[in-house]
Every structure is written in structure tokens, then in C-alpha cells.
Amino acid sequence: MKFALRINTINDQQTNSSIDKREHLYKILVIGELGTGKTSIIKRYVHQFFSQHYRATIGVDFALKVLNWDNNTVIRLQLWDIAGQERFGNMTRVYYKEAVGAFVVFDVTRSQTFDAVTKWKTDLDTKVTLADGSPIPTVLLANKCDQPKEGVVNNPARMDDYCRERGFSGWFETSAKENINIDEASRFLVNRILNNEKQGMMMTESLDADKFSVDGKANQVDKSGCLC
């Protein structure tokens, strides 16, 4: 009998623990020109694996990254690896749907991939927004930074200005090969997503409070027949 009681106690603790655990699922887009290393970044981030030999993504691919964010929070990132040749097509609207964050990737060794970043960002902003109509948080990844760099990426101050002017949340030099800044860039983006979610909850609570106040006064009018 004592043994059975012990088992029940353990099960109760496990149940309470699972109830207390908050879980989030976020859809994250990874977009940019063909050959910029989007798939390599995802493979490194999710599987801690890098290969020089990847076939070009056709259409869209998916990966799941689970983060034990803190003692009470588990975050699942659904990473959508969208093929570079899909750029600005009609299907991207379907791929972008319900995303809450994005990475735009360019190759620091090919300046033409940086030239296309603005078009990707514009396409993104016109096809998906947050509930309040604002752009989803987007981080620019200057990938392959372990190799010689071309263009404006050599000037961090100009990169800061570029990102600010075009509505990027921030930018990171990354390397899938050397595992540089990929975890840091993801953590930065997730923090932005969590902050947006928190602000949205606060706004909802504020609207609910206002509604409760109005409803309360309306009830008083119904009962008394006057506004006094």
C-alpha cells in the first residue's frame, strides 16, 4: 500500500510539472537568393551538421528545432527553407502564411545576392504581417563570413543604417561551415518574437479591461434605468 501511494505522488508531481510547462510553436521563414547557404544554416542549427554538398532546395523544405528556453518554457521553431528560385512567385504568399519571424540570407562573397535582399524584404512585408498589421521581425544574415567579403558588408556602420532603413530587426555575420553566430541570431529573433507576443497579450488584456468597464456600466444602466 505504501508503494502504491509513492507511485501516485510521483505521477501527480509529473502531471503538475507538465501543466506548468509553457510550450510555443513558431513558424520561421528562411529566405534569400539561390546558393546563399539557407539549407546549410538550418542543418547546422538543427543537426549540428555541415556538408559542402547540398542539392538546391526545390519548392520548400521543413525542419524543427526544439529550444528549452528556460525552466518553464519550451519553444519549437518550425523552420521553412524556401527555395531561392521561388523568389517573388505567387506561391510565396502560401509559404509565408502564419509566419511570426524570418531570416533573409545573402552570401558575403557574392554582392549580387545582397542586391536582392531589399526585394525579398519587400515581398515578405507585402505578404505577411503580425495581427496588428506590422511587419514580422526579420533578421538579415550575412552568410559565409569565413570567406573574403564583397561590398557594403565590410562596413558595419553602413550595414546598421541599411537594416534600420529597411525595417530589419538586426543583422549577423554567420558561417554554417564554422558555426559562427547562428545560435546567437536565432536567439535574437526568438526574443523579438516573444516580446511581440507579450505586447500583444498586454494589448488584449487592456482591451478586455475596457470592455469589462463598459459592460459593467451598461449593466448598471439596465438595473437603475438612469446614468446616475
Side-chain angles (χ1 to χ4, degrees):
M1 184 65 69
K2 290 182 179 179
F3 179 77
L5 181 60
R6 176 180 172 82
I7 294 296
N8 289 336
T9 302
I10 291 173
N11 287 339
D12 287 343
Q13 290 173 346
Q14 290 174 339
T15 301
N16 290 336
S17 175
S18 64
I19 291 173
D20 293 337
K21 205 85 166 177
R22 296 189 302 272
E23 296 192 6
H24 304 269
L25 176 64
Y26 297 132
K27 178 178 176 179
I28 308 294
L29 306 175
V30 185
I31 59 178
E33 292 293 278
L34 180 69
T36 54
K38 300 183 296 294
T39 301
S40 294
I41 287 172
I42 292 172
K43 294 288 187 184
R44 170 63 77 179
Y45 182 51
V46 175
H47 303 295
Q48 292 301 306
F49 173 78
F50 176 80
S51 171
Q52 297 279 11
H53 308 291
Y54 284 122
R55 289 179 299 177
T57 302
I58 299 174
V60 63
D61 202 358
F62 310 90
L64 184 67
K65 175 73 172 181
V66 179
L67 302 174
N68 292 305
W69 191 254
D70 56 36
N71 291 334
N72 301 314
T73 308
V74 173
I75 293 176
R76 290 178 169 82
L77 301 181
Q78 190 183 67
L79 299 160
W80 284 51
D81 179 5
I82 297 174
Q85 61 265 37
E86 293 286 344
R87 71 181 201 161
F88 326 134
N90 292 329
M91 284 303 295
T92 56
R93 188 179 299 276
V94 178
Y95 298 151
Y96 293 170
K97 187 178 181 181
E98 297 181 353
V100 294
F103 293 111
V104 178
V105 185
F106 74 97
D107 180 347
V108 299
T109 71
R110 295 187 292 141
S111 57
Q112 66 269 29
T113 65
F114 177 75
D115 295 338
V117 164
T118 298
K119 293 179 181 179
W120 278 103
K121 183 65 164 65
T122 301
D123 186 62
L124 181 69
D125 290 346
T126 57
K127 292 177 179 175
V128 63
T129 61
L130 299 176
D132 63 0
S134 60
I136 64 174
T138 306
V139 174
L140 181 61
L141 301 184
N143 196 37
K144 306 185 185 181
C145 69
D146 56 289
Q147 301 180 34
K149 294 176 281 188
E150 291 183 0
V152 69
V153 70
N154 287 294
N155 188 326
R158 287 182 62 190
M159 284 294 294
D160 290 342
D161 291 340
Y162 177 90
C163 289
R164 187 163 45 249
E165 291 167 3
R166 287 158 179 80
F168 284 96
S169 302
W171 70 282
F172 288 81
E173 290 189 340
T174 59
S175 169
K177 181 179 180 180
E178 301 297 333
N179 196 19
I180 297 172
N181 280 340
I182 293 174
D183 287 346
E184 290 80 358
S186 176
R187 191 164 188 88
F188 176 85
L189 179 60
V190 172
N191 267 314
R192 290 302 178 99
I193 293 169
L194 289 171
N195 287 338
N196 283 339
E197 192 171 76
K198 183 178 179 181
Q199 291 173 5
M201 291 175 62
M202 291 173 62
M203 185 176 296
T204 300
E205 290 173 356
S206 176
L207 291 172
D208 287 345
D210 292 342
K211 183 175 182 299
F212 177 80
S213 177
V214 171
D215 288 348
K217 188 166 185 178
N219 287 338
Q220 290 179 7
V221 172
D222 290 338
K223 292 177 180 178
S224 63
C226 69
L227 296 177
C228 55

